[in-house]
């Protein structure tokens, strides 16, 4: 059993070390035997003192997942929704990332995948690359355009 003051101390310390959203903290609090009102007061304190800021979390999450994990816009959006981030915060976070950054990340991933693939007929290779890009959470139109550019460039080489 943990009391409210210890919970505030525990979660403010946790939030000061790395970025968390309200959903993450609520999930972690399930282990603590606090009543719902106490959990709400702890969350209210963390939000008021800016230990938790879902908008800030969304921006950092989106940027990091795109840069380091190679995720596309759709996958980032899905994961933020799963964490109960508001649509406004999601839109703001994704608007911070340039479309060209998504395209560069996708192109890099597709070219890497293409180097790993065994030669096959172009339609099968193209379909495989499109599935791969979509599985990373990139929008279909973007994936198809980048795959087409890669294949056009390979034909010229």
């Amino acid at each position: 059993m943990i009391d409210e003051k210890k919970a505030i101390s525990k979660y403010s310390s946790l939030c000061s070390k790395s970025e968390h959203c309200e959903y993450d903290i609520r999930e972690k609090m399930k282990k603590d035997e606090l009543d719902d009102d106490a959990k709400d007061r702890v969350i209210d304190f963390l939000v008021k003192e800016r230990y938790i800021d879902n908008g800030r979390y969304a921006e950092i999450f989106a940027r990091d997942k795109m840069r380091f994990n190679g995720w596309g816009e759709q996958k980032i959006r899905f994961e933020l929704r799963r964490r109960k981030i508001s649509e406004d915060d999601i839109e703001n976070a994704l608007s911070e990332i340039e479309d060209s950054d998504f395209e560069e990340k996708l192109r890099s991933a597709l070219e890497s995948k293409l180097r790993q693939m065994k030669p096959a007929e172009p339609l099968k290779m193209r379909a495989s690359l499109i599935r791969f890009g979509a599985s990373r959470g990139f929008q279909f139109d973007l994936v198809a355009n980048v795959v087409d550019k890669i294949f056009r460039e390979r034909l010229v080489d």
Side-chain angles (χ1 to χ4, degrees):
M1 180 84 169
I2 186 171
D3 68 8
E4 198 172 322
K5 284 186 179 183
K6 286 184 182 176
I8 287 173
S9 175
K10 174 182 176 179
Y11 292 109
S12 60
S13 175
L14 179 70
C15 291
S16 66
K17 292 176 185 166
S18 65
E19 200 65 48
H20 294 278
C21 63
E22 184 177 331
Y23 175 81
D24 290 344
I25 298 303
R26 285 196 186 278
E27 286 298 304
K28 291 178 186 304
M29 287 177 128
K30 286 181 178 178
K31 295 179 231 164
D32 299 332
E33 296 177 8
L34 280 173
D35 63 72
D36 289 341
D37 289 338
K39 288 178 184 177
D40 289 341
R41 287 190 298 272
V42 171
I43 293 291
D44 288 344
F45 171 83
L46 295 172
V47 169
K48 183 177 144 238
E49 296 297 320
R50 302 209 14 99
Y51 285 103
I52 295 176
D53 182 331
N54 284 344
R56 183 179 66 214
Y57 174 85
E59 289 175 15
I60 293 168
F61 182 92
R63 187 177 57 242
D64 286 355
K65 292 302 179 187
M66 192 277 297
R67 279 188 188 155
F68 302 120
N69 296 54
W71 288 8
E73 181 180 336
Q74 291 176 317
K75 189 167 185 174
I76 292 169
R77 185 182 304 280
F78 174 80
E79 286 299 321
L80 288 172
R81 282 181 182 149
R82 196 176 69 73
R83 288 172 170 82
K84 313 267 190 276
I85 303 297
S86 75
E87 287 299 318
D88 287 342
D89 287 340
I90 292 172
E91 289 304 319
N92 289 338
L94 290 172
S95 71
E96 295 292 317
I97 302 171
E98 297 291 328
D99 290 342
S100 60
D101 293 339
F102 279 120
E103 187 172 342
E104 287 173 28
K105 187 56 80 171
L106 173 61
R107 184 181 185 89
S108 174
L110 290 174
E111 287 175 344
S112 176
K113 179 71 172 173
L114 187 60
R115 284 190 295 274
Q116 297 169 8
M117 293 172 69
K118 293 179 182 173
E121 56 179 93
L123 282 178
K124 286 185 179 179
M125 292 176 72
R126 177 178 272 127
S128 179
L129 287 174
I130 288 173
R131 280 192 306 275
F132 176 76
S135 74
R136 290 286 183 96
F138 290 93
Q139 294 176 338
F140 178 79
D141 291 345
L142 177 62
V143 176
N145 288 337
V146 173
V147 168
D148 287 344
K149 285 179 188 175
I150 290 171
F151 273 83
R152 277 195 303 271
E153 290 168 4
R154 290 184 82 206
L155 291 175
V156 173
D157 291 344

